[in-house]
């Protein structure tokens, strides 16, 4: 089914000037960008976005990471987009991520190093985990007016 999913290029990806290369990966796979913005997240917004992680031991470092600089948020549309995007992004730990995934190709941070330093694991991307989360996360980051249908954005230019 055609789905929408939320992707963030986290502060490490923006800082390292990887925005274009990361977006290109998703576009090359045929996923369509139907909404996009740059935003500097604050603590309150971080607690909303990472509501599921607020009570976890790594939350403080995760919050420090996500508010450390602007992020690029986008909504991608495509067939089974939630699953496809997670596959392209790869597992949470870049050290374990296979080459060919975004985390595996552009990062190498490890849990061991992050724990020792007391910092969040720097893994470039947030990608929604499930279809249910996609609805909530997209509603948190984008208003209806900020999202454009696939047909509006793309088909009129290619037909
Ligand atoms: P995301 O939700 O950002 O797409 P994910 O679903 O792969 O990543 P989650 O388990 O949801 O991973 O964790 C959210 C984020 O918190 C991770 O992407 C990572 O930046 C950070 N994180 C998770 N576990 C740890 C940990 N044990 N130590 C340090 N940072 C962590
Ligand atoms: Mg997650």
């Amino acid at each position: 089914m055609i789905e929408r999913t939320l992707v963030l290029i986290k502060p490490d990806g923006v800082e390292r000037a990887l925005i274009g290369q990361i977006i290109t990966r998703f576009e090359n796979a045929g996923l369509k960008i139907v909404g996009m913005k740059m935003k500097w997240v604050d603590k309150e917004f971080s607690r909303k976005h990472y509501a599921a992680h607020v009570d976890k031991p790594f939350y403080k470092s995760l919050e420090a990471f996500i508010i450390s600089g602007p992020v690029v948020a986008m909504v991608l549309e495509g067939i089974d987009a939630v699953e496809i995007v997670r596959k392209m992004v790869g597992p949470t730990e870049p050290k374990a991520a296979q080459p060919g995934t975004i985390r595996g190709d552009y990062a190498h941070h490890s849990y061991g190093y992050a724990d020792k330093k007391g910092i969040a694991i720097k893994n470039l991307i947030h990608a929604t985990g499930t279809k249910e989360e996609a609805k909530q996360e997209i509603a948190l980051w984008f208003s209806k007016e900020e999202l454009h249908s696939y047909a509006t954005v793309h088909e009129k230019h290619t037909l």
Side-chain angles (χ1 to χ4, degrees):
M1 288 303 290
I2 305 281
E3 293 171 2
R4 288 179 169 188
T5 189
L6 180 84
V7 167
L8 306 179
I9 303 176
K10 291 178 176 176
D12 55 336
V14 174
E15 229 168 79
R16 291 179 52 206
L18 292 173
I19 297 169
Q21 291 185 65
I22 289 170
I23 290 174
T24 295
R25 293 232 172 179
F26 294 124
E27 288 193 324
N28 283 349
L31 293 157
K32 302 300 183 192
I33 298 166
V34 297
M36 184 154 65
K37 66 173 75 164
M38 193 175 231
K39 181 181 170 83
W40 200 317
V41 172
D42 62 16
K43 288 185 180 183
E44 192 188 340
F45 195 84
S46 171
R47 280 193 293 272
K48 286 184 189 158
H49 173 72
Y50 281 129
H53 295 319
V54 168
D55 296 324
K56 297 201 178 145
F58 61 84
Y59 181 72
K60 264 218 141 8
S61 60
L62 176 58
E63 182 187 78
F65 174 41
I66 204 70
I67 69 169
S68 67
V71 305
V72 172
M74 69 194 99
V75 175
L76 297 176
E77 189 173 278
I79 303 160
D80 299 331
V82 173
E83 183 189 340
I84 292 292
V85 167
R86 293 282 288 192
K87 184 187 73 172
M88 292 177 70
V89 167
T92 308
E93 186 189 32
K95 182 186 174 191
Q98 289 294 317
T101 65
I102 296 170
R103 287 168 172 164
D105 282 348
Y106 293 105
H108 68 279
H109 224 227
S110 72
Y111 281 128
Y113 186 80
D115 286 353
K116 207 169 153 195
K117 289 269 186 183
I119 58 175
I121 195 145
K122 292 186 183 180
N123 54 9
L124 298 167
I125 307 271
H126 164 80
T128 299
T130 65
K131 284 183 226 181
E132 294 68 43
E133 282 170 11
K135 289 207 171 63
Q136 297 160 14
E137 291 187 2
I138 290 168
L140 176 65
W141 281 83
F142 289 88
S143 68
K144 272 208 168 78
E145 295 69 36
E146 290 172 322
L147 297 172
H148 308 276
S149 76
Y150 174 96
T152 309
V153 180
H154 299 279
E155 280 180 352
K156 75 176 177 190
H157 297 295
T158 48
L159 287 175

